[in-house]
Amino acid sequence: MKIICIGRNYGEHAKELGNAIPEEPVVFMKPPSAMIPLSGPITLPSFSDDVHHEVELVYEIGRKGGKAIPAKVTLGLDLTARDVQQHLKAKGLPWEKAKAFDGSVYVAELRPSMDSFPTGHHIEFLLKKNGQVVQSGHSGQMLFDVNTLIAHVERYFALENGDLLFTGTPAGVGRLSPGDRLEGYLLGELLFDLAVEAASSVG
Ligand code: ZN
């Protein structure tokens, strides 16, 4: 199973980090071993003081008639060690230490097929930190929609059943602290409620 992520897919988020609007999708990956258990918690790594939450629509890839399709949908977190990422970006180095570390990815329970969403309907989602909405967005705000992303990714990487595609985060990313609580809502439904802990805390 591969976890493929798209960066800078919402204009307002690209701007908040001072990045240009991309001309083609920005693609990176995380290993399956980076996955946080379904019930959490999020454990902040000891090597960063600035781990950011990025809530994203996540699609599970299926295949229909030999074609990769977005078969299921849910919410995920692309946790990012922003301090490490800024340092790597400044030196033109790869992002993996900032994006693919152990405990850097969360995927909520997958929802049934996209067929249940009417065509043209935007999938709305939001993230609350300690009860306050910090990020909200919908699928219609993506610079590249899911089918465009799949077609682009497939030029480089074969997509297989069960692969996960993170589609980028809307504006409002921010730092996590031990004791924070993150709730993710998809179409108004609570999909996850996760505690945030320091690396040293036990249990
Ligand atoms: Zn992201």
Side-chain angles (χ1 to χ4, degrees), residues 189-201:
E189 183 190 357
L190 179 67
L191 284 202
F192 63 80
D193 180 359
L194 298 170
V196 179
E197 294 181 355
S200 53
S201 70

Side-chain angles (χ1 to χ4, degrees), residues 4 9 19-20 41 43 48 55 78 105 122-123 129 135-136 139 151 161 176 179 194:
I4 295 164
N9 201 25
N19 292 314
T43 304
S48 172
V55 70
D78 164 20
V105 60
H122 296 318
I123 304 172
K129 184 169 89 171
Q135 290 192 267
S136 67
S139 53
N161 269 327
L176 291 173
L194 298 170

Side-chain angles (χ1 to χ4, degrees), residues 5-8 13 28 30 54-56 77-80 99 166-169:
C5 302
I6 304 299
R8 305 173 193 169
H13 170 64
F28 58 98
K30 296 181 185 245
E54 294 190 359
V55 70
E56 313 200 359
L77 291 168
D78 164 20
L79 299 181
T80 304
K99 282 285 196 182
F166 277 66
T167 56
T169 197

Side-chain angles (χ1 to χ4, degrees), residues 31-167:
S33 54
M35 192 74 81
I36 296 165
L38 194 58
S39 59
I42 293 167
T43 304
L44 299 173
S46 55
F47 57 77
S48 172
D49 291 321
D50 197 20
V51 174
H52 279 197
H53 54 77
E54 294 190 359
V55 70
E56 313 200 359
L57 283 175
V58 179
Y59 292 88
E60 188 185 69
I61 300 297
R63 300 199 70 91
K64 202 174 189 177
K67 256 181 77 84
I69 56 158
K72 292 183 179 175
V73 67
T74 190
L75 281 184
L77 291 168
D78 164 20
L79 299 181
T80 304
R82 197 69 71 197
D83 45 0
V84 176
Q85 188 192 32
Q86 299 297 7
H87 178 78
L88 294 170
K89 273 167 71 176
K91 293 191 164 189
L93 293 170
W95 285 0
E96 277 85 348
K97 285 181 179 174
K99 282 285 196 182
F101 56 87
D102 292 350
S104 62
V105 60
Y106 179 78
V107 177
E109 247 175 275
L110 288 151
R111 315 314 282 176
S113 142
M114 291 298 299
D115 297 347
S116 57
F117 299 110
T119 311
H121 181 88
H122 296 318
I123 304 172
E124 294 169 355
F125 60 102
L126 60 85
L127 182 74
K128 287 184 184 178
K129 184 169 89 171
N130 305 325
Q132 305 273 45
V133 176
V134 285
Q135 290 192 267
S136 67
H138 64 75
S139 53
Q141 295 167 330
M142 290 183 195
L143 298 174
F144 302 100
D145 69 16
V146 63
N147 291 313
T148 304
L149 292 175
I150 286 174
H152 183 80
V153 167
E154 278 194 306
R155 291 167 58 188
Y156 302 88
F157 313 108
L159 285 173
E160 301 167 300
N161 269 327
D163 285 345
L164 296 168
L165 176 66
F166 277 66
T167 56

